[in-house]
Amino acid sequence: MKGKLIILAAFLLNLGHLLGQNDSLVKYDDSQLSPLEISQEQLQKYLDDDAFDYEITKTENGWWDSFKNWLYAIFLLLFQSLFGNEAAVGALATFLRILPYVLLAILLFLIIRFFIKANTRSLVYTQNNPNVVLLSEEERIIKTANIQQLIEEALAQQNYRLAVRYYYLFILQLLTERDIIEWELQKTNDDYITELNESKFKSPFSTVTLLYDYIWYGEFNIDKEHYGKAEKAFSELKKSILDHV
């Protein structure tokens, strides 16, 4: 026991001696201090530097930002379930980078598919419907075709509605050949009636135009009897045009 007390006493004596020596080593700086002056020009340099702008501007999120944050949280949960918590953020970042290109590819695919289906549907409809005369065919028929033969073929098939269609094109062909009208693909039937304002053909042409619009664009299927009544008006106008000098 006495040995332990002696050791403790010796330790305390040495500690006091060391503390006394440290106090003697402390040096105090009593030199005069002068404040550093900064000019307004120097201060303005720092004020204009964005690196020293610590002002925090708080902006409110709009509905679009809220929606994106919500969507991001949904994707993050999904990727966490697939890749784990650590790899989810990196995988999601990669996915978000390629997402616009994926959406663009899907959009192009849908557009191409739509036009393919539309063209296919139009082609099938045209092949299955003998009454259809494509607009691209109208110019060829009026300028080059033997329309009277087309009328006879339609009548042979008892397709009286198509015969009316060809008869009307035949009237336009005759009026064009005799320079009574100037036929153009983009013109309407009303345009031709306007061209005939000063002509004796205006009234009969208006009559056959009304019949044509009613039968063809109205999609009314007519029988032989009704065709005979319509054909009479067309035939009289055809004879008047052929007699025109």
Side-chain angles (χ1 to χ4, degrees), residues 16 25 30 32 57 82 90 92 98-99 114 145 149 158 161 179 185 187 192 197 210 212-213 219-220 234:
L25 293 176
D30 56 356
Q32 295 295 323
T57 303
L82 295 175
L92 180 57
I98 66 174
L99 181 60
F114 170 79
Q149 181 180 348
Q158 297 184 349
R161 182 168 169 266
D179 296 325
L185 183 61
K187 284 185 178 180
Y192 298 126
N197 268 339
L210 182 62
Y212 168 67
D213 289 341
E219 297 187 0
F220 290 101
F234 280 99

Side-chain angles (χ1 to χ4, degrees), residues 134-200:
L134 299 177
L135 288 179
S136 58
E137 288 289 288
E138 186 173 291
E139 184 173 10
R140 181 189 66 80
I141 292 172
I142 291 178
K143 291 186 175 181
T144 63
N146 184 346
I147 303 181
Q148 285 186 307
Q149 181 180 348
L150 294 176
I151 295 173
E152 293 173 2
E153 292 175 356
L155 292 175
Q157 298 172 6
Q158 297 184 349
N159 193 338
Y160 301 109
R161 182 168 169 266
L162 185 59
V164 169
R165 166 69 168 171
Y166 286 139
Y167 220 136
Y168 189 76
L169 294 180
F170 183 49
I171 294 296
L172 291 177
Q173 184 188 62
L174 293 177
L175 290 171
T176 302
E177 289 176 349
R178 281 157 178 75
D179 296 325
I180 301 173
I181 64 170
E182 185 176 350
W183 184 88
E184 294 179 5
L185 183 61
Q186 67 272 19
K187 284 185 178 180
T188 65
N189 297 336
D190 290 335
D191 291 331
Y192 298 126
I193 293 175
T194 302
E195 285 189 46
L196 296 172
N197 268 339
E198 305 299 327
S199 171
K200 64 179 181 179

